[in-house]
Amino acid sequence: MHVSQGRNAGLGLALLSAFTFGGSGVAAKPLIEAGLDPLHVVWLRVAGAALVMLPVAWRHRDLVLRRPGLLVGFGLLAVAGVQAFYFAALSRIPVGVALLVEFLAPALVRGWVRFVQHRPVSRAAVAGVMLAVAGLACVVEVWSGLSFDAVGLLLALGAACCQVGYFVLSDHGSEGENAADPIGVIAYGLLIGTAVLTVIARPWGMDWSVLGGQADMDGSRVPALALLGWIVLIATVVAYLAGVVSVRRLSPQVAGVVACLEAVIATVLAWVLLGEHLSAPQILGGAVVLTGAFIAQSSTPRAAAGEVAGSRPETASGRAGEAGVGGGQGVAVENGSERDAGPESELSAGRRGA
């Protein structure tokens, strides 16, 4: 009874995380169109969330000495990198398209494992990568000579690459007694991301008057501060925390499947609130991208029986519920065979730019 209630609560939190993350781009784009630079919007988002999470960072201040590499990697890639590239892409291409390109990350992780680390990947994983690429071709309508801004697409791809970098980084050193609390990592990631973005964005040159005015959402006027409040409090703080807690109640794999709804939610919200309509081939392509990404992140070659028997019951991603980090190559032993734990983890929310 209690287990069922816990899983239901975890599912609800995972859906909340997907919805709140998915709504960040819809709130950010009107601010960008009102005159704010995309980097300034990212800085406001990250700095505001870091300020809210400051008490959490103080509580986990031992992480600075215990896991400095993880904190820096999370701050640079999962916070500053992903969000800066994603918000920059929003200024040039539709919200849904930018997020769908970003969801190529699980497929790109498989490419890293196969061609850089020279490790085998399953046929299902290869099929997932091919599906994701084919779906992306439909999303960008390659038969029309790319119907979207090429620079915007490259920026979205940059966000996906930052995700890959974080997945690869977080695969190392997440096990043992030195495991890091994921909420503490998020708090410090936001602080480090703020420091990095302050140097890059130079917020002292921001047009602060925009925040005192209103922004246009498909003909409706909305207070800019209300949009900023949503981005900071709901689409960042609540989204991160809900994502972390949901994984603890479910599993990285189940939460990762629910996270795929983020792209759907973002596309629907952009359609309704911003008037960004996608064609039927683009919608079909988006579904194919998400299907391919799911297959790519959840497929792995079966290990030999002897190898499984000799495996430790916990590995990097298998300990995600405790350590709060996972990687694109991590595996967990289940029912006597290995299954891929995928690149999702308690910090999976942190790599999402939306």
Side-chain angles (χ1 to χ4, degrees):
M1 181 68 174
H2 293 295
V3 174
S4 178
Q5 290 178 345
R7 291 183 67 85
N8 289 338
L11 182 59
L13 288 169
L15 289 171
L16 174 63
S17 180
F19 178 82
T20 50
F21 269 122
S24 70
V26 176
K29 189 156 189 174
L31 293 177
I32 296 172
E33 293 178 342
L36 286 181
D37 185 274
L39 279 177
H40 289 160
V41 178
V42 176
W43 181 85
L44 287 168
R45 178 187 189 181
V46 175
L51 186 62
V52 174
M53 295 286 286
L54 198 56
V56 177
W58 176 254
R59 180 181 178 184
H60 295 280
R61 56 191 179 276
D62 61 307
L63 285 175
V64 176
L65 296 178
R66 289 200 300 117
R67 305 303 300 275
L70 176 62
L71 299 184
V72 171
F74 187 79
L76 288 176
L77 298 175
V79 176
V82 172
Q83 295 183 43
F85 276 114
Y86 175 68
F87 276 22
L90 291 186
S91 66
R92 311 181 73 102
I93 61 177
V95 172
V97 174
L99 196 53
L100 286 169
V101 174
E102 188 181 326
F103 265 78
L104 281 178
L108 294 176
V109 167
R110 290 301 176 220
W112 174 275
V113 171
R114 177 64 183 88
F115 297 108
V116 177
Q117 297 183 331
H118 303 292
R119 298 181 57 191
V121 296
S122 68
R123 292 180 179 177
V126 173
V129 172
M130 295 177 65
L131 269 178
V133 173
L136 182 62
C138 292
V139 170
V140 301
E141 296 183 333
V142 292
W143 54 85
S144 300
L146 291 180
S147 60
F148 296 112
D149 187 300
V151 175
L153 293 174
L154 287 175
L155 289 169
L157 186 59
C161 290
C162 283
Q163 287 189 37
V164 174
Y166 173 66
F167 292 154
V168 173
L169 171 71
S170 62
D171 186 57
H172 302 281
S174 61
E175 58 209 37
E177 297 180 356
N178 202 31
D181 186 287
I183 297 179
V185 175
I186 289 172
Y188 275 102
L190 290 168
L191 286 172
I192 293 171
T194 299
V196 172
L197 289 168
T198 298
V199 175
I200 298 174
R202 300 182 179 183
W204 48 86
M206 186 189 312
D207 185 1
W208 294 90
S209 63
V210 173
L211 297 177
Q214 294 185 322
D216 180 76
M217 294 188 73
D218 196 26
S220 300
R221 304 295 291 176
V222 180
L225 280 177
L227 293 175
L228 180 60
W230 171 275
I231 293 172
V232 171
L233 298 176
I234 307 301
T236 306
V237 176
V238 171
Y240 274 121
L241 297 180
V244 168
V245 177
S246 71
V247 175
R248 289 181 171 180
R249 291 177 177 268
L250 297 171
S251 71
Q253 293 73 39
V254 175
V257 172
V258 178
C260 287
L261 292 176
E262 178 188 331
V264 178
I265 292 169
T267 302
V268 171
L269 288 177
W271 193 316
V272 174
L273 298 178
L274 301 181
E276 293 185 347
H277 300 271
L278 299 183
S279 66
Q282 290 170 335
I283 295 173
L284 177 61
V288 174
V289 169
L290 295 179
T291 301
F294 169 70
I295 294 174
Q297 78 175 25
S298 59
S299 303
T300 191
R302 229 170 165 69
E307 181 181 347
V308 174
S311 297
R312 291 183 302 158
E314 295 175 302
T315 61
S317 294
R319 290 178 56 88
E322 175 186 345
V325 285
Q329 4 168 358
V331 292
V333 175
E334 179 179 56
N335 298 329
S337 65
E338 287 190 357
R339 60 170 172 81
D340 191 356
E344 295 294 340
S345 71
E346 288 192 30
L347 292 181
S348 62
R351 51 84 182 162
R352 294 201 290 258

